[in-house]
Amino acid sequence: MESHFDVLIIGSGLAGLSAALHLAPTHRVAVLTKRGMTDGASNWAQGGIAAVLAEGDSLEDHERDTHVAGAGLCDIDATRATVAGAPDAIRWLQDLGVPFSEEDGELHLTREGGHSARRVVHAADATGAAVMASLVERVRATPSITVLEHHTLVDLILSDKHADLPSPRRCLGAYALDEVNDRVIAFTASHTVLATGGAGKVYLYTSNPDTATGDGIAAAWRAGCRVANLEFIQFHPTCLYHPHAKSFLISEAVRGEGGLLKLPPAHGSRRFMPEHDERAELAPRDVVARAIDAEMKKHGLDCVHLDISHQPPEFLQEHFPNILARCAELGIDITREPIPVVPAAHYTCGGVVSDLAGRTDVAQLYVLGETANTGLHGANRLASNSLVECMVFAQAAAAAIRETAPSSTPNVRPWDESRVTDPDERVVISHNWDELRRFMWDYVGIVRTDKRLERAANRIALLQSEIQAFYAQFRVSRDLLELRNLVQVAELIVRCAQQRHESRGLHFNRDWPDLSPQALPTVLQP
């Protein structure tokens, strides 16, 4: 198997595949993904992609809405670049054949929480799936892109650690576990791009797929990259509450099209959002998630209800066919009854610090998508800003790579398994995974306290020592690698949360309920 490429992209979501397609005309690209190409979060995105396309809307309004949702912490340059690049990103997807929803021959624009205008382009209520289908088809048809599925990132290959080269440190590629052949391969490249998604699986309840284990964030941290703002974990307010509906989201657009949040019938079916925020159901996600959390705790509820049954069945079939069908499979007729929902960990707003071209602190290493902290999302991501961030920064990173002369890649040491054995008790991994996700949910969830954060930090320290011993002694597996990364990201989330002595955006600490006069990022240095 060939193991050297011009560019190595780790992750097959929208960010990774966009970068691959932009680079394909000039570079030999490898895309590594730890499961199938569409098993990441991009394929699950329901709502859409925000872009200023309608008359009466403006780039300035989109920027302002982003800053308001981000609670004053959004980077001005990153926000401006993303908003300005959004319309071209939509046109690029149209050129690839993405079947966006239309009305009277024009793109249908919907509205989501936090937006002051209709500017969300979508493909019914399965935008991510439609976009990914087009990209995957194009990637598979491109000869200069090699796709390697079922390859799990082990660690980055660094010049000073694995090739005995003097400083400054640069990234030479990555070690990856080939699960089919059960061996670790050294993949080398002049440029490496981390696009591995977020870390939602660090929490017990999440809307994320099983792949969201923070692999790129943890690997970049171990390589010497700064991370920032990881205390800002966005909890999607409305995940379907049903024992057989793992991680199924009820799109933000349901509230955008008139869905109302209510208490269950035993509590009067009363609408409650106007009591929490003047924007009611159209408030940003952090406000809505905390309101639902407060009502659930106040009344001892397992869930609340989201009711859009007042809309005609034809409207629901046109706009939310997948939600309608999935709920129907579970015995819920959303044309006649409300949808039971709960908040769930949804989006990692912080990540690896990058510039406007995706560059990190380590030379020849780039980061994109949910793995990155570009500064766009601030303290809370505005709905439907994430997919466009993937595309705008993928294009910028590809341009930066094209402008950089390729560097020679020295011989690197192969992965050494001579001193490890097969694990004796795999149950240890599953127990540690379960323990981590439960105490992160209890102690570092929607509402936090200093004491809860301290308890989480203590538990994480114990888990880290146990997992590191396991990692050193036994052959790697995907489960072990993911657990190692999740525990590392959990530590970074808690450290960031402990450093923020205020409540801002997605981070709410009862011991620090007020807003600091100055909005500053939380940056951790390895």
Side-chain angles (χ1 to χ4, degrees):
M1 178 196 296
E2 187 173 10
S3 59
H4 178 73
F5 298 89
D6 298 327
V7 182
L8 176 67
I9 297 174
I10 305 171
S12 62
L14 179 56
L17 296 190
S18 296
L21 287 171
H22 285 304
L23 287 163
T26 54
H27 290 69
R28 291 169 52 257
V29 180
V31 175
L32 266 61
T33 185
K34 65 180 176 181
R35 296 196 182 180
M37 284 185 74
T38 58
D39 285 335
S42 294
N43 198 57
W44 290 28
Q46 292 179 347
I49 307 170
V52 174
L53 298 170
E55 288 186 24
D57 196 7
S58 70
L59 299 179
E60 291 76 19
D61 286 346
H62 190 177
E63 287 180 32
R64 185 185 66 250
D65 292 344
T66 300
H67 284 293
V68 170
L73 204 58
C74 301
D75 180 84
I76 293 174
D77 293 334
T79 303
R80 191 162 293 155
T82 305
V83 169
D88 283 343
I90 296 296
R91 286 186 279 272
W92 181 69
L93 290 178
Q94 288 180 295
D95 290 341
L96 289 177
V98 177
F100 289 120
S101 296
E102 296 185 352
E103 190 170 74
D104 299 326
E106 300 289 336
L107 287 173
H108 179 266
L109 303 177
T110 190
R111 182 180 175 188
E112 295 186 350
H115 288 276
S116 59
R118 285 182 172 266
R119 66 168 70 100
V120 179
V121 180
H122 62 105
D125 60 347
T127 305
V131 169
M132 288 299 294
S134 296
L135 263 66
V136 168
E137 181 181 5
R138 183 63 64 92
V139 164
R140 291 200 183 279
T142 303
S144 58
I145 300 176
T146 299
V147 177
L148 296 162
E149 296 177 302
H150 305 290
H151 281 69
T152 300
L153 171 64
V154 177
D155 245 336
L156 296 170
I157 299 174
L158 304 172
S159 58
D160 55 338
K161 289 187 176 181
H162 301 290
D164 297 323
L165 295 178
S167 295
R169 174 178 292 181
R170 58 191 176 102
C171 182
L172 305 176
Y175 293 110
L177 172 64
D178 173 359
E179 287 193 67
V180 175
N181 298 298
D182 194 26
R183 59 173 181 158
V184 175
I185 301 171
F187 291 94
T188 56
S190 296
H191 306 276
T192 301
V193 180
L194 291 171
T196 59
K201 293 297 284 189
V202 78
Y203 287 98
L204 183 60
Y205 301 110
T206 177
S207 65
N208 290 183
D210 291 340
T211 55
T213 52
D215 303 337
I217 297 172
W221 172 261
R222 291 192 293 266
C225 296
R226 290 170 298 156
V227 299
N229 292 347
L230 282 169
E231 69 271 38
F232 299 118
I233 303 294
Q234 187 176 75
F235 289 81
H236 196 289
T238 54
C239 195
L240 180 60
Y241 180 75
H242 192 281
H244 304 302
K246 178 183 176 183
S247 306
F248 188 77
L249 274 188
I250 305 301
S251 169
E252 192 99 1
V254 172
R255 287 183 284 118
E257 295 293 349
L260 303 176
L261 285 163
K262 300 178 179 180
L263 297 177
H267 296 272
S269 298
R270 179 175 55 81
R271 185 183 176 201
F272 58 83
M273 274 310 301
E275 302 166 20
H276 292 269
D277 192 280
E278 62 183 9
R279 293 165 290 187
E281 280 80 7
L282 291 178
R285 289 177 177 177
D286 60 324
V287 176
V288 179
R290 276 199 300 273
I292 294 173
D293 184 66
E295 294 292 337
M296 288 172 59
K297 289 175 178 174
K298 178 181 177 182
H299 299 287
L301 304 174
D302 293 325
C303 65
V304 297
H305 286 173
L306 177 59
D307 191 359
I308 196 165
S309 62
H310 54 278
Q311 291 280 19
E314 298 78 15
F315 178 92
L316 299 179
Q317 180 61 51
E318 179 184 356
H319 289 274
F320 307 113
N322 290 284
I323 293 173
L324 185 75
R326 182 62 177 136
C327 287
E329 289 173 6
L330 300 167
I332 304 167
D333 182 358
I334 71 171
T335 69
R336 296 174 176 270
E337 59 188 318
I339 307 166
V341 294
V342 291
H346 182 57
Y347 193 85
T348 309
C349 286
V352 182
V353 173
S354 79
D355 68 5
L356 295 181
R359 300 182 189 90
T360 70
D361 295 329
V362 174
Q364 298 171 208
L365 178 65
Y366 296 75
V367 63
L368 296 173
E370 198 172 349
T371 311
N373 182 73
T374 64
L376 169 67
H377 304 306
N380 181 20
R381 177 178 68 95
L382 180 65
S384 291
N385 264 359
S386 53
L387 294 183
V388 72
E389 180 194 33
C390 288
M391 291 184 289
V392 169
F393 280 84
Q395 184 177 21
I401 290 171
R402 283 195 301 269
E403 293 168 1
T404 305
S407 61
S408 60
T409 302
N411 292 326
V412 301
R413 288 192 289 274
W415 186 254
D416 182 10
E417 285 193 332
S418 61
R419 291 169 292 178
V420 297
T421 61
D422 288 324
D424 52 356
E425 292 187 41
R426 293 185 184 273
V427 70
V428 173
I429 296 175
S430 62
H431 283 185
N432 285 353
W433 181 298
D434 184 64
E435 180 184 355
L436 172 70
R437 297 179 70 204
R438 286 184 182 278
F439 73 66
M440 284 296 289
W441 182 263
D442 291 338
Y443 298 151
V444 201
I446 296 173
V447 177
R448 303 160 180 177
T449 66
D450 286 350
K451 190 66 175 177
R452 290 178 188 174
L453 295 175
E454 183 182 348
R455 286 173 178 163
N458 291 336
R459 300 283 283 278
I460 288 169
L462 292 173
L463 280 181
Q464 280 184 312
S465 60
E466 188 171 314
I467 292 165
Q468 189 53 42
F470 210 79
Y471 180 79
Q473 295 170 19
F474 301 115
R475 285 193 176 91
V476 296
S477 65
R478 187 179 68 195
D479 287 345
L480 174 58
L481 294 171
E482 290 179 335
L483 177 61
R484 179 187 183 224
N485 291 332
L486 278 176
V487 172
Q488 179 59 76
V489 174
E491 182 209 355
L492 298 174
I493 291 171
V494 171
R495 284 177 59 184
C496 284
Q498 288 178 315
Q499 289 193 22
R500 186 162 293 280
H501 293 169
E502 63 166 349
S503 288
R504 182 182 295 275
L506 299 165
H507 174 75
F508 187 82
N509 187 329
R510 284 179 178 162
D511 296 317
W512 304 91
D514 298 324
L515 202 64
S516 293
Q518 189 174 8
L520 296 172
T522 306
V523 182
L524 301 182
Q525 180 84 40

